[in-house]
Amino acid sequence: MRWTTSVTMLLLLAVVGCDPSGGENGGDGWLAPASSRDRMRLDRIAVVYQSGDLETAIPQLEGYTTEYPKDELAWTILGNAYESAERIEEAQAAYDKALEIEPRMFQAITGLGILHRQRGDYDAAMECYERAVEIDPTYAEAYSSMTVIALKRNDDKAAVRYAQKGYALSSSEPGIAANLAVAYHYDGQFQKRDEMTERAEELGYGKIDVLKQIYAGEVTVRD
């Protein structure tokens, strides 16, 4: 079961919601220069993707990357869109393209980790997540993805640590709160589980019914 769709959505939100360069051409300067991208247009396309309209968003992203082939941000979002559409080989190619342009694009690295997880290669997935947080130690979504791997490995203590780290970095994100609730559940910390479930619901998490199915043993995050 893909027990949380939040990982991909969180990745998108993190990509669209921040400018890692610290400005148009500031910071480390590893985001594509202004002449190689149209940020406002890309943001509009990302909103379409966030709405769940993949049939519209993917062609728009494909057209954008054709016009702006050096925009690693766009390739990363396209990778997310392909992954959401279960077009895995194309997602891999899009992430690879983003990293060809900018090897430190940690959101694309995390995206590759998600693909490795889906294939059952948890070691490779964890390597990607660890690489991502080496580049940006504040990237909460990578810690949330680490939580998934730890749970699949039955390492519930580690899952709690990763999930707590992610929540400490991004306490307003409903999916991260939900992941922490699940980690608490498997670690037997039921009071904290219920508190965090309530918090996820307050934040607008839309799959509370899935959390309750996990708690009831009707579905599992294990393999």
Side-chain angles (χ1 to χ4, degrees), residues 151-162:
L151 289 171
K152 288 184 174 295
R153 288 173 164 173
N154 296 295
D155 191 349
D156 300 330
K157 298 296 184 184
V160 169
R161 290 196 302 272
Y162 292 136

Side-chain angles (χ1 to χ4, degrees), residues 97-118:
K97 182 63 176 180
L99 292 170
E100 177 185 325
I101 299 166
E102 176 43 65
R104 290 174 59 81
M105 192 71 183
F106 55 87
Q107 298 96 334
I109 295 168
T110 302
L112 286 177
I114 293 170
L115 296 183
H116 287 307
R117 173 178 62 80
Q118 291 176 345

Side-chain angles (χ1 to χ4, degrees), residues 12 15 17 31-32 34 53 67 71 79 92 102 104 116 121-123 128 132 138 141 161 165 170 186 191 199 201:
L12 171 71
V15 169
L31 192 64
D53 187 358
E67 188 172 347
D71 189 341
Q92 171 96 41
E102 176 43 65
R104 290 174 59 81
H116 287 307
D121 191 345
Y122 300 146
D123 289 342
C128 287
T138 70
E141 289 72 22
R161 290 196 302 272
K165 179 67 173 179
S170 186
Y186 279 96
Q191 181 175 344
R199 174 61 175 160
E201 188 168 17

Side-chain angles (χ1 to χ4, degrees), residues 4-49:
T4 174
T5 59
S6 65
V7 174
T8 297
M9 291 307 298
L10 286 172
L11 178 58
L12 171 71
L13 291 168
V15 169
V16 175
C18 67
D19 184 344
S21 70
E24 283 295 314
N25 290 292
D28 294 332
W30 56 270
L31 192 64
S35 61
S36 300
R37 59 190 172 100
D38 183 343
R39 184 59 180 275
M40 292 183 63
R41 177 180 167 190
L42 184 57
D43 284 349
R44 289 194 298 270
I45 297 172
V47 169
V48 175
Y49 169 45

Side-chain angles (χ1 to χ4, degrees), residues 169-216:
L169 291 167
S170 186
S171 61
S172 63
E173 170 50 51
I176 287 181
N179 285 357
L180 179 53
V182 172
Y184 280 142
H185 169 74
Y186 279 96
D187 196 43
Q189 300 188 51
F190 301 128
Q191 181 175 344
K192 290 184 176 180
R193 173 200 69 186
D194 294 342
E195 291 172 354
M196 196 54 56
T197 301
E198 182 177 350
R199 174 61 175 160
E201 188 168 17
E202 289 173 353
L203 291 170
Y205 187 69
K207 295 184 178 293
I208 297 298
D209 58 331
V210 176
L211 297 184
K212 291 180 178 179
Q213 289 176 325
I214 292 172
Y215 303 160

